[in-house]
Amino acid sequence: MSTFFAQPYNLDAVGFYFDTLEAYIEQSENLLDAFGNPVEEFEIQFIDGDDCELFSACGINQGNLHTWFEDVADLSDQEKTALFYLCSILGYSLENALHKLDDVNLSEGNLKGVAETLFDEFYLNDVPESVRAYIDYEKYARDCELGSDLCEFDFNGTTWTCTNASSV
């Protein structure tokens, strides 16, 4: 479970910690500043938990906090990685990225390793045995990256490669 903090923009009010949408709604609706006025605007901060990178990449704020709790928090690790890729690397909005999660093909590993695996899977059968020793996988990986076919990125301490980067 993650912990968040709602920091009021009103300097005369004190923020609060929360871990569910319901707790946020309840506390934000009842929060008053030092003069008895209701507090309406908050900066939402990620305090503790596993999805800090994703929270930041998605641009979570008061206006889309419900999306975090309703649509993002329960995603699988693979879907969270795809969402991070779409929001952080490609610049999709959270709403648009959630609709494209199934379009992202990810492989765990660095660019060279994934490129080597793909080359072997698709092309190695057509290459004579005597020529296989001359295949330069690094150059192939670099060409795939320059052609925007593959994209390497780090998320939650793991290196990932998107294998259909040019078609997302």
Side-chain angles (χ1 to χ4, degrees):
M1 174 128 325
S2 298
T3 303
F4 307 92
F5 187 75
Q7 175 64 50
Y9 287 114
N10 183 333
L11 299 176
D12 294 317
V14 177
F16 56 89
Y17 292 94
F18 63 97
D19 57 8
T20 65
L21 183 60
E22 293 75 21
Y24 167 78
I25 291 171
E26 180 182 333
Q27 292 181 67
S28 66
E29 288 177 348
N30 296 321
L31 188 64
L32 302 175
D33 66 12
F35 303 102
N37 299 315
V39 178
E40 298 176 350
E41 295 180 337
F42 300 91
E43 173 189 4
I44 306 300
Q45 301 170 353
F46 191 96
I47 301 300
D48 188 33
D50 296 331
D51 295 321
C52 183
E53 277 185 279
L54 183 60
F55 186 86
S56 178
C58 291
I60 300 300
N61 57 50
Q62 183 178 0
N64 63 9
L65 184 61
H66 67 282
T67 303
W68 176 265
F69 284 105
E70 294 169 2
D71 299 326
V72 177
D74 293 330
L75 292 175
S76 69
D77 289 342
Q78 187 83 3
E79 291 171 321
K80 287 180 180 181
T81 304
L83 182 60
F84 176 84
Y85 174 75
L86 290 166
C87 291
S88 179
I89 307 299
L90 297 183
Y92 277 83
S93 69
L94 176 58
E95 183 179 323
N96 290 338
L98 285 169
H99 294 296
K100 295 192 69 68
L101 290 179
D102 293 335
D103 297 343
V104 180
N105 292 329
L106 296 171
S107 292
E108 190 174 337
N110 66 18
L111 188 73
K112 181 183 179 283
V114 172
E116 184 174 343
T117 301
L118 290 174
F119 185 90
D120 291 352
E121 193 174 303
F122 293 115
Y123 303 117
L124 196 60
N125 291 335
D126 298 332
V127 177
E129 195 72 39
S130 60
V131 178
R132 291 182 184 180
Y134 299 101
I135 298 171
D136 189 339
Y137 289 109
E138 277 190 37
K139 286 184 180 178
Y140 177 70
R142 186 198 57 171
D143 288 347
C144 289
E145 182 179 34
L146 291 174
S148 298
D149 295 322
L150 299 179
C151 179
E152 179 184 303
F153 64 98
D154 291 324
F155 175 64
N156 276 350
T158 303
T159 300
W160 294 88
T161 300
C162 179
T163 60
N164 66 333
S166 60
S167 64
V168 178

